[in-house]
Amino acid sequence: MSVGIAWLLRQPGLGLALRGGLAGKDRQIGFVQPTELLDPRPWLSGGELVLTTGLGLQPEEGGEYVRRLAEAGVAALGFGTGLSHERIPQSVLEAADAVGLALLEVPYTTPFAAVSRAVTARLAEQQYELVRRAADTQVRITRAVLRGGVPAIVRELAVATHTAVAYLDERTGEVVAHPEAAAELAEHISELRPDGAGSVTASRPGRTLTVQPVTHAGVVSGYLAVQADRPLENVELVLIGHAVSLVTLELDKPRRLRAERNALGAKVFGLLVAGVLDSGDAAEYLADAAGARSRIRILQLHTPAAADVRRVLDAGLGARQRPLYARSEDEALTVLLRGEDTLADVTALLADLSPPQARTLRGGLSAAHRLADTRRALEQAEHAVAAADATRRIVEFDATHGTALLASPAVRAVLESVAASTVSALADYDRGRGTRLVASLRAFLEANGQWEAAATALEIHRHTLRSRIAKAEQVLGVDLGDARVRAELLLALLIGEPAP
């Protein structure tokens, strides 16, 4: 902010007159500094209106005095007459014209304090006007976000500050600018910001360029560049900061909407799993997570790092423009997936887990089901995760592969008990007599009682196999002609003995 010399000359009651240095009459005054020092340069910063009565100034010293002031960059010199000097010394007048320093005569009747008050009051008015304009601009920029997002923010900021403004999207390289020619500012961003972080301002005569980073979720997502043909006022810097905040909020809007959407979907999913909500009512909220023909799958994950795993899943699904509907309970994370999602898709979603997180993860993926069968899908996912181990961290439930029963902890417990009294007895017999009853019985049962196929698998004659199976029946005291006995023994063998 500053006061023009012409404005000061027009103020009634001051009686100021321009006596020399006409070339400098358009300069702006930023401060009034009364001083009687013959060399006040150490205490001047430039832009001042220096007021003096010339106390101690000899007529022949006037030229050097004016040149020292010009060297310090003062805006003008106000010389009070009627005290030390009846009129402004000729040497001062000539030097003011020579260096182009505006020379004002301050009459005896005008106190220096009156001049200072006039300038200070004008600066205060300007400050108030800037604050009022900034407040109005903040309202306009904020409203503009609702109408046009980032482009509207850029336009309103440029119009309000009379500057050129450009926003560079770091991810896409897209530039939004006002006026259109301001798009060239994007080329200067990399020059000013080689490290891509922090804010910076570069100034030179007739040009000021400031670049502000726009961070989103802790990452720099773009830069707002503002260029003016003058130094930027503090209030304008406040407006730039406000614009940066609004751009950040605008960029964050999709993330916040996604978070709210995920939270609502997770709540509905939890009510559906708990049986509180009917699938027909839930379908409206979960349709965007279901697959073709509204088929779904359930992924259950057991991990001590559930929060971290959830973030990785959210990022993976978000990159695919899909929601994350999940419920957490202790170290279990239950996720709703599409019916067409495969085990490979799940593996890809979890690919960004750290090695320690991946090592402690166990998961089970259900078969595809209708949304109405969500609870059945959950049971399958629980059975599958029970079968997961260090070699197979994610297990897919598939009844067509003959492993569904074996994935159930309760069923395994029963079968292990059966194996202890059957398979173990045959194994003891084999060890004591050097026979192969266990292997022969398993081959026979897995061949569905087909003698030729089982004998071929064992590379023995079918009569030898018949003899071994008869001996197995004798040792176990069972009738292998009973289909239920055969089924129970096969499952016990699968639990208690590895394949031959």
Side-chain angles (χ1 to χ4, degrees), residues 295-309:
R295 306 282 282 183
I296 58 96
R297 280 187 159 190
I298 298 294
L299 171 66
Q300 184 161 95
L301 300 171
H302 289 181
T303 170
D308 294 328
V309 172

Side-chain angles (χ1 to χ4, degrees), residues 119 136 141 147 189-190 225 249 251 263 281 293 332 364 405 423 494:
V119 172
D136 292 343
I141 296 176
R147 299 193 306 269
I189 290 176
S190 58
L249 290 173
L251 295 177
D281 296 327
R293 301 189 307 280
L405 277 175
V423 179
L494 292 174

Side-chain angles (χ1 to χ4, degrees), residues 179-432:
E180 291 185 5
E184 67 182 17
L185 295 180
E187 300 175 4
H188 300 295
I189 290 176
S190 58
E191 300 173 7
L192 288 176
R193 318 177 49 71
D195 58 353
S199 60
V200 67
T201 298
S203 297
R204 67 187 186 199
R207 177 178 179 267
T208 298
L209 174 63
T210 183
V211 179
Q212 298 279 348
V214 177
T215 58
H216 174 230
V219 178
V220 175
S221 55
Y223 298 96
L224 188 70
V226 179
Q227 180 174 278
D229 57 4
R230 52 179 167 74
L232 291 168
E233 300 285 352
N234 288 335
V235 173
E236 291 173 324
L237 293 176
V238 170
L239 287 176
I240 293 172
H242 181 64
V244 168
S245 298
L246 289 176
V247 172
T248 301
L249 290 173
E250 181 67 15
L251 295 177
D252 193 49
K253 187 185 297 180
R255 186 194 65 80
R256 288 183 285 115
L257 289 175
R258 172 178 171 79
E260 293 172 2
R261 173 189 179 193
N262 285 351
L264 176 60
K267 180 71 72 175
V268 173
F269 177 46
L271 294 174
L272 177 63
V273 169
V276 176
L277 193 65
D278 181 80
S279 62
D281 296 327
E284 178 182 352
Y285 299 95
L286 303 180
D288 51 353
R293 301 189 307 280
S294 297
R295 306 282 282 183
I296 58 96
R297 280 187 159 190
I298 298 294
L299 171 66
Q300 184 161 95
L301 300 171
H302 289 181
T303 170
D308 294 328
V309 172
R310 189 181 191 122
R311 279 193 291 271
V312 170
L313 282 172
D314 190 26
L317 288 170
R320 294 163 174 78
Q321 303 300 311
R322 291 171 55 183
L324 170 65
Y325 297 158
R327 58 194 292 263
S328 300
E329 186 174 352
D330 296 329
E331 293 188 353
L333 184 64
T334 306
V335 185
L336 182 66
L337 296 178
R338 292 177 177 173
E340 58 266 29
D341 284 333
T342 65
L343 193 60
D345 292 326
V346 173
T347 302
L349 287 173
L350 297 169
D352 288 337
L353 288 176
S354 67
Q357 292 168 347
R359 280 195 297 270
T360 58
L361 180 72
R362 300 292 182 269
L365 179 65
S366 76
H369 289 273
R370 295 177 302 120
L371 189 62
D373 296 324
T374 296
R375 298 187 71 179
R376 183 179 303 168
L378 177 59
E379 291 176 358
Q380 290 185 353
E382 290 172 343
H383 291 325
V385 77
D389 54 30
T391 59
R392 289 194 309 160
R393 295 192 177 96
I394 309 292
V395 174
E396 182 177 8
F397 182 95
D398 192 345
T400 62
H401 289 173
T403 58
L405 277 175
L406 300 181
S408 170
V411 172
R412 290 180 67 89
V414 172
L415 292 176
E416 286 170 356
S417 177
V418 172
S421 60
T422 55
V423 179
S424 296
L426 283 183
D428 290 342
Y429 188 90
D430 283 343
R431 282 192 293 270

Side-chain angles (χ1 to χ4, degrees), residues 400-479:
T400 62
H401 289 173
T403 58
L405 277 175
L406 300 181
S408 170
V411 172
R412 290 180 67 89
V414 172
L415 292 176
E416 286 170 356
S417 177
V418 172
S421 60
T422 55
V423 179
S424 296
L426 283 183
D428 290 342
Y429 188 90
D430 283 343
R431 282 192 293 270
R433 292 167 178 77
T435 56
R436 295 190 61 202
L437 296 185
V438 173
S440 299
L441 178 60
R442 179 166 182 168
F444 172 71
L445 295 174
E446 289 186 335
N448 295 315
Q450 299 296 317
W451 298 103
E452 194 67 40
T456 299
L458 292 170
E459 298 181 346
I460 59 176
H461 195 276
R462 65 178 180 278
H463 294 311
T464 303
L465 178 61
R466 286 180 182 274
S467 175
R468 290 182 181 179
I469 296 303
K471 177 56 70 175
E473 287 180 308
Q474 180 184 350
V475 171
L476 296 176
V478 298
D479 178 9

Side-chain angles (χ1 to χ4, degrees), residues 21-33:
L22 295 179
K25 64 183 178 60
D26 294 328
R27 290 179 183 170
Q28 298 292 307
I29 299 168
F31 185 69
V32 176
Q33 179 62 64

Side-chain angles (χ1 to χ4, degrees), residues 81-104:
T81 57
L83 288 174
S84 302
H85 299 270
E86 288 298 321
R87 62 181 62 84
I88 300 174
Q90 186 64 30
S91 60
V92 172
L93 292 168
E94 293 174 356
D97 287 334
V99 299
L101 179 64
L103 176 60
L104 311 181

